[in-house]
């Protein structure tokens, strides 16, 4: 009898132990795991203002002196000396106008069939000092007489041997005509023939 009771108690104890094992909630390693995040956090957009690109400063256009342009306009052209029967040349004959603080100059040279040379140079000064430059200029040789030209502020003419130079001044410009011929008379005569065209070009400038 006692033996049967002991077997029964043993069976009940085994059944109780089997019932205590098994709930999935008893596993602490899985129960307290942190949840896996589903998405990463996105930073809010910045409200800081964006500075516009700064444009490069605009430099003022350089002031261009018109002295060289005036000198070019007052220079005799091939058409102005065509009646002399000359051809353009490169070896100019030196005049007697002293080199001063000029702002610009232009020169043209022609050669006669006889070998005589004709050069015309226009010099522009920084201010209205052309007449003063001619008055203070000293050329070698002797003074010669040529027709007085209208509209000019000062004129002078010299001959040094067979080379003669005529200077006309107006405003900022000095117009210098130099002729080197076989004789002084021929040089003066050529200068006299070209004086009207030379004067017209000079007086047309402001």
């Amino acid at each position: 009898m006692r033996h049967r009771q002991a077997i029964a108690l043993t069976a009940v104890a085994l059944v109780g132990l089997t019932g205590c094992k098994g709930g999935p909630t008893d596993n602490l390693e899985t129960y307290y795991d942190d949840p896996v995040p589903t998405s990463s956090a996105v930073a809010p957009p910045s409200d800081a203002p964006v500075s516009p690109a700064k444009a490069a400063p605009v430099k003022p256009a350089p002031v261009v002196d018109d002295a060289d342009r005036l000198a070019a306009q007052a220079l005799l052209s091939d058409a102005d000396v065509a009646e002399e029967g000359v051809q353009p040349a490169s070896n100019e004959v030196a005049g007697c106008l002293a080199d001063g603080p000029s702002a610009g100059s232009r020169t043209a040279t022609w050669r006669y069939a006889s070998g005589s040379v004709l050069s015309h140079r226009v010099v522009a000064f920084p201010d209205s000092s052309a007449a003063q430059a001619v008055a203070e200029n000293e050329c070698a040789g002797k003074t010669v007489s040529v027709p007085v030209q209208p509209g000019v502020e000062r004129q002078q003419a010299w001959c040094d041997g067979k080379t003669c130079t005529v200077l006309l001044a107006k405003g900022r410009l000095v117009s210098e005509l130099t002729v080197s011929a076989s004789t002084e008379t021929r040089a003066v005569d050529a200068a006299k023939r070209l004086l009207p065209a030379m004067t017209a070009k000079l007086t047309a400038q402001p």
Side-chain angles (χ1 to χ4, degrees):
M1 187 68 157
R2 290 181 179 177
H3 180 70
R4 291 181 178 176
Q5 290 178 348
I7 293 173
L9 290 173
T10 301
V12 171
L14 290 174
V15 172
L17 290 174
T18 303
C20 292
K21 285 183 178 182
T25 55
D26 292 348
N27 190 341
L28 296 179
E29 292 180 0
T30 59
Y31 185 77
Y32 289 104
D33 281 348
D34 293 333
V36 177
T38 57
S39 62
S40 57
V42 178
S46 175
D47 294 333
V50 179
S51 301
K54 294 183 180 181
V58 178
K59 296 181 179 180
V63 179
V64 179
D65 191 353
D66 64 346
D68 197 53
R69 177 181 60 83
L70 292 176
Q73 292 177 346
L75 190 68
L76 292 176
S77 66
D78 291 346
D80 295 325
V81 299
E83 293 186 0
E84 292 292 302
V86 292
Q87 296 296 325
S90 58
N91 54 334
E92 65 183 79
V93 56
C96 64
L97 179 65
D99 293 332
S102 64
S105 67
R106 291 294 183 93
T107 303
T109 304
W110 299 267
R111 182 178 294 277
Y112 289 87
S114 62
S116 299
V117 180
L118 165 67
S119 285
H120 185 222
R121 179 169 68 140
V122 180
V123 180
F125 289 84
D127 49 35
S128 300
S129 60
Q132 181 181 355
V134 172
E136 295 176 351
N137 190 72
E138 294 183 3
C139 294
K142 62 180 182 181
T143 302
V144 294
S145 178
V146 295
V148 176
Q149 300 302 299
V152 300
E153 297 171 4
R154 191 174 186 92
Q155 74 174 58
Q156 289 181 232
W158 297 266
C159 281
D160 183 15
K162 302 174 184 179
T163 300
C164 296
T165 300
V166 179
L167 297 179
L168 302 180
K170 176 185 178 292
R172 300 171 58 188
L173 301 177
V174 174
S175 183
E176 178 187 47
L177 181 70
T178 303
V179 183
S180 180
S182 57
T183 66
E184 177 184 308
T185 301
R186 289 186 175 182
V188 173
D189 288 344
K192 289 179 179 179
R193 290 194 301 269
L194 292 169
L195 271 177
M198 179 180 168
T199 301
K201 283 290 187 76
L202 177 65
T203 55
Q205 309 312 312

